[in-house]
């Protein structure tokens, strides 16, 4: 007499065996096809920069049973399937169910949330959709007590500089993301609070966007997102060397978060594009009643990843990923916007991207250029070029900026000259202890007709759990006449002198 095993139990045994055995599907070259495991679990593995295709019967669909690598496996982004099989990319590794085993695996799926490293917790998955929850927050100790008490702008006006020393739960960020009805329809919705800006406009924000992914070559979306105006606004936040504090040149030139529509994807292999058409440079703190009706903000980005096809998880700064092969990138960004006075956030607004002169003066300030002179609109154009190298924990990354201001309208603006400002930021880092300790230095400067502000930073990131999710950051800044600043930023406008801050960051 033969001994039979219930099919559901057999499915569970198959899953356990698959997860206990070394991967059956790996690869060395992008788009390499690997043998299928008929009617069972398919283990598909990719390294950073690879896109691997694992042959499988996908006619009944595919389910991710478990992520087995450090990089997140997100449907439609780093894994998916088509008639040829299952594909994984950019370090995603996982155990997948397909063919006859799929239905049985779906019956055995755990109801408890599953954690995707650096992607969050899986709250729900089913035939109708999927939802992940992620949390980001940090506690900051900030000491500005040794910066100068006053600064004098380019027009001879002396202003008092507030010098802070405080401890803040600086930000709280809770995004919900996933898909609904079809994996091609994606949502990304979040609540965001900047507690250092209590009482300011947009101190608490509920925002997000919706998108449809046709394939890896084209995805369209709409809602609130960051203009792809510089590298730091490409979507890798908060994976910077510093904690939520861009170099002053980046902060001075960049666009911010705004409403709009966009299209992005791969142009050709290892070349990515992003084009966004938006309402203004920054929507934070601005109501719809303040906006004009022109929709005349455009931002474009073209990124080339020549050697590995990637530049770390989410395109991060620094080489925590510890590339064994040299990773490189070159990118070009161009942004244009006709900005008007009413569309600008307040001077202390969160993520403030006010158009400022290089001495920190807001260009829309009445009588700034003389009695009776007031700018109402200005034509803004900005070009940035960035590049970087990463290898075995070492990174060198830089960006050059050029901004043009002109075509002013307003009261008595005929005498205001067109302005061209340039600047750069350069960042170098090293994983002094792999997975544990990262050291970095940053230099940044702006060159303009109204000032030449600069800064130098040195800092460290201590990953005490040997993962990205928790880090202790300490940073020393020496700044000269900062042209940017607000309450959520570690320095005020006009700051000169030493600044020190320590941050405990949680991010999953």
């Amino acid at each position: 007499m033969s001994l039979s095993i219930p099919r559901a139990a057999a499915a569970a045994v198959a899953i356990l065996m698959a997860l206990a055995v070394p991967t059956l599907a790996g690869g060395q070259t992008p788009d390499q096809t690997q043998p299928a495991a008929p009617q069972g679990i398919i283990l598909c593995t990719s390294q950073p920069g690879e896109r691997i295709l694992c042959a499988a019967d996908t006619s009944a669909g595919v389910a991710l049973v478990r992520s087995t690598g450090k990089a997140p496996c997100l449907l439609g982004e780093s894994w998916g399937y088509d008639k040829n099989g299952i594909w994984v990319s950019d370090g995603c590794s996982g155990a997948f169910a397909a063919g006859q085993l799929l239905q049985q695996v779906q019956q055995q799926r755990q109801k408890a949330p599953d954690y995707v490293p650096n992607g969050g917790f899986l709250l729900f998955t089913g035939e109708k959709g999927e939802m992940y929850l992620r949390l980001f927050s940090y506690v900051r100790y900030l000491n500005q007590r040794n910066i100068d008490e006053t600064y004098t702008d380019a027009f001879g006006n002396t202003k008092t500089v507030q010098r802070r020393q405080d401890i803040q739960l600086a930000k709280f960020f809770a995004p919900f993301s996933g898909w609904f009805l079809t994996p091609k329809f994606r949502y990304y919705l979040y609540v965001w609070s900047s507690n250092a800006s209590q009482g300011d406009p947009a101190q608490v924000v509920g925002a997000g966007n919706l998108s449809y992914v046709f394939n890896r070559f084209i995805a369209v979306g709409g809602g609130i997102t960051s203009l792809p105006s510089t590298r730091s606004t490409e979507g890798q936040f908060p994976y910077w060397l510093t904690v939520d504090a861009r170099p002053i040149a980046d902060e001075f030139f960049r666009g911010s978060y705004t409403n709009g529509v966009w299209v992005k994807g791969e142009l050709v292999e290892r070349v990515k594009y992003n084009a966004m058409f938006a309402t203004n440079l920054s929507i934070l703190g601005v109501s719809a009643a303040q906006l004009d009706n022109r929709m005349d903000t455009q931002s474009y980005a073209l990124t080339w990843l020549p050697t590995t096809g990637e530049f770390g998880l989410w395109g991060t700064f620094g080489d925590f990923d510890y590339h064994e092969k040299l990773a490189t990138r070159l990118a070009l960004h161009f942004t244009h916007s006709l900005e008007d006075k009413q569309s600008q956030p307040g001077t202390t607004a969160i993520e403030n991207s006010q158009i400022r002169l290089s001495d920190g003066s807001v260009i829309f300030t009445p009588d700034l250029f003389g009695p009776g002179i007031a700018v109402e609109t200005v034509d803004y154009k900005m070009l940035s070029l960035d590049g970087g190298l990463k290898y075995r924990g070492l990174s060198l990354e830089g960006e050059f900026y050029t901004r043009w201001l002109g075509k002013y309208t307003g009261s008595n603006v005929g005498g205001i000259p067109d302005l061209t400002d340039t600047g750069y930021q350069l960042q170098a880092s090293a994983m002094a202890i792999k997975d544990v300790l990262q050291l970095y230095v940053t230099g940044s400067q702006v060159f303009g007709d109204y000032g030449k502000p600069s800064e130098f930073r040195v800092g460290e990131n201590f990953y005490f759990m040997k993962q990205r999710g928790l880090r202790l950051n300490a940073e020393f800044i020496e700044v000269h006449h900062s042209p940017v600043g607000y309450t959520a930023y570690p320095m005020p406008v006009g700051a000169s002198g030493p600044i020190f801050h320590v941050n405990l960051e949680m991010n999953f």
Side-chain angles (χ1 to χ4, degrees):
M1 184 178 75
S2 63
L3 179 64
S4 63
I5 301 176
R7 296 180 66 190
V13 171
I15 295 170
L16 292 174
M17 291 180 64
L19 295 178
V21 175
T23 56
L24 302 176
Q28 300 300 320
T29 59
D31 293 320
Q32 178 179 340
T33 301
Q34 302 170 3
Q39 300 182 0
I41 294 292
I42 296 93
L43 283 95
C44 207
T45 300
S46 69
Q47 301 298 323
E50 289 184 330
R51 179 183 172 87
I52 301 298
L53 179 65
C54 301
D57 174 12
T58 61
S59 58
V62 175
L64 173 64
V65 177
R66 181 170 299 179
S67 175
T68 59
K70 292 184 178 180
C73 289
L74 301 178
L75 183 60
E77 296 184 16
S78 57
W79 82 273
Y81 60 92
D82 54 30
K83 64 180 181 180
N84 297 315
I86 303 166
W87 61 265
V88 293
S89 65
D90 296 327
C92 164
S93 300
F96 300 89
Q100 295 180 5
L101 188 61
L102 176 64
Q103 183 177 1
Q104 300 162 43
V105 169
Q106 289 175 333
Q107 294 173 355
Q108 295 294 314
R109 292 179 69 91
Q110 296 180 357
K111 295 182 179 180
D114 193 11
Y115 175 63
V116 177
N118 300 310
F121 286 95
L122 180 62
L123 298 183
F124 172 81
T125 183
E127 294 182 359
K128 298 294 185 180
E130 190 171 85
M131 178 179 289
Y132 281 90
L133 169 65
R134 181 180 174 192
L135 292 177
F136 165 78
S137 187
Y138 64 94
V139 177
R140 169 176 286 169
Y141 165 73
L142 176 64
N143 189 329
Q144 303 172 345
R145 294 182 62 185
N146 293 314
I147 62 176
D148 295 346
E149 296 182 10
T150 63
Y151 85 101
T152 302
D153 65 23
F155 302 92
N157 304 306
T158 299
K159 301 178 181 180
T160 300
V161 176
Q162 181 182 8
R163 300 183 297 173
R164 292 167 49 196
Q165 180 180 220
D166 54 48
I167 298 174
Q168 299 276 348
L169 180 69
K171 278 190 178 177
F172 171 79
F173 178 53
F176 293 85
S177 61
W179 57 269
F180 179 58
L181 295 185
T182 170
K184 293 181 179 291
F185 184 81
R186 314 287 300 183
Y187 62 88
Y188 185 80
L189 305 171
Y190 57 85
V191 177
W192 171 43
S193 173
S194 181
N195 296 328
S197 306
Q198 295 282 356
D200 287 347
Q203 185 264 325
V204 177
V205 173
N209 54 76
L210 306 175
S211 62
Y212 191 89
V213 181
F214 290 92
N215 49 51
R216 74 177 191 268
F217 299 106
I218 182 168
V220 296
I224 293 180
T225 192
S226 54
L227 282 168
S229 55
T230 66
R231 184 183 165 197
S232 72
T233 60
E234 288 182 350
Q236 76 284 91
F237 175 82
Y239 300 121
W240 304 337
L241 293 176
T242 186
V243 172
D244 196 20
R246 296 173 173 90
I248 61 171
D250 191 6
E251 190 68 30
F252 178 81
F253 288 103
R254 72 178 178 91
S256 187
Y257 289 84
T258 190
N259 278 314
V261 295
W262 57 89
V263 57
K264 62 182 179 179
E266 291 185 25
L267 191 63
V268 294
E269 185 178 353
R270 301 188 179 186
V271 177
K272 300 181 180 181
Y273 72 92
N274 190 348
M276 183 173 179
F277 305 91
T279 54
N280 65 350
L281 290 178
S282 175
I283 198 65
L284 300 175
V286 180
S287 74
Q290 293 175 273
L291 299 171
D292 59 42
N293 58 5
R294 292 186 292 263
M295 286 286 293
D296 48 13
T297 299
Q298 311 91 36
S299 190
Y300 310 94
L302 191 64
T303 304
W304 180 36
L305 307 168
T307 56
T308 63
E310 50 75 56
F311 206 60
L313 179 68
W314 313 115
T316 56
F317 287 83
D319 192 26
F320 184 93
D321 304 279
Y322 216 85
H323 284 78
E324 295 294 342
K325 181 180 178 181
L326 179 67
T328 55
R329 71 166 272 148
L330 285 172
L332 182 69
H333 308 79
F334 178 77
T335 304
H336 168 259
S337 184
L338 183 62
E339 291 287 291
D340 66 82
K341 183 177 181 179
Q342 283 190 320
S343 68
Q344 299 301 305
T347 56
T348 59
I350 304 160
E351 289 298 304
N352 188 328
S353 63
Q354 290 266 21
I355 297 181
R356 295 181 180 271
L357 305 180
S358 54
D359 70 339
S361 299
V362 178
I363 197 170
F364 297 106
T365 304
D367 303 320
L368 178 66
F369 296 96
I373 300 176
V375 176
E376 294 294 330
T377 67
V378 61
D379 189 76
Y380 160 103
K381 295 184 180 73
M382 200 275 292
L383 178 74
S384 79
L385 175 67
D386 81 81
L389 307 169
K390 294 183 180 182
Y391 181 66
R392 294 184 61 84
L394 303 175
S395 70
L396 180 63
E397 302 158 274
E399 191 162 14
F400 178 79
Y401 314 89
T402 300
R403 185 188 71 177
W404 299 270
L405 300 179
K407 298 181 181 179
Y408 312 101
T409 67
S411 302
N412 305 312
V413 296
I416 303 177
D418 290 350
L419 298 176
T420 300
D421 298 308
T422 60
Y424 73 89
Q425 58 98 348
L426 187 64
Q427 302 185 68
S429 71
M431 292 301 300
I433 303 176
K434 189 176 183 294
D435 296 332
V436 177
L437 181 63
Q438 182 180 56
L439 307 176
Y440 65 89
V441 294
T442 299
S444 178
Q445 192 165 8
V446 176
F447 303 92
D449 293 336
Y450 294 91
K452 295 178 174 58
S454 62
E455 69 168 349
F456 174 79
R457 303 187 186 195
V458 59
E460 61 80 27
N461 289 306
F462 175 39
Y463 298 93
F464 49 91
M465 297 299 293
K466 297 184 179 182
Q467 299 182 56
R468 272 196 178 98
L470 293 171
R471 65 169 165 165
L472 182 65
N473 167 268
E475 183 176 79
F476 173 82
I477 307 172
E478 181 66 35
V479 62
H480 176 68
H481 292 167
S482 173
V484 292
Y486 46 96
T487 51
Y489 195 65
M491 67 187 75
V493 172
S496 287
I499 296 171
F500 179 70
H501 62 119
V502 179
N503 306 275
L504 176 60
E505 180 190 83
M506 177 191 73
N507 176 52
F508 61 78

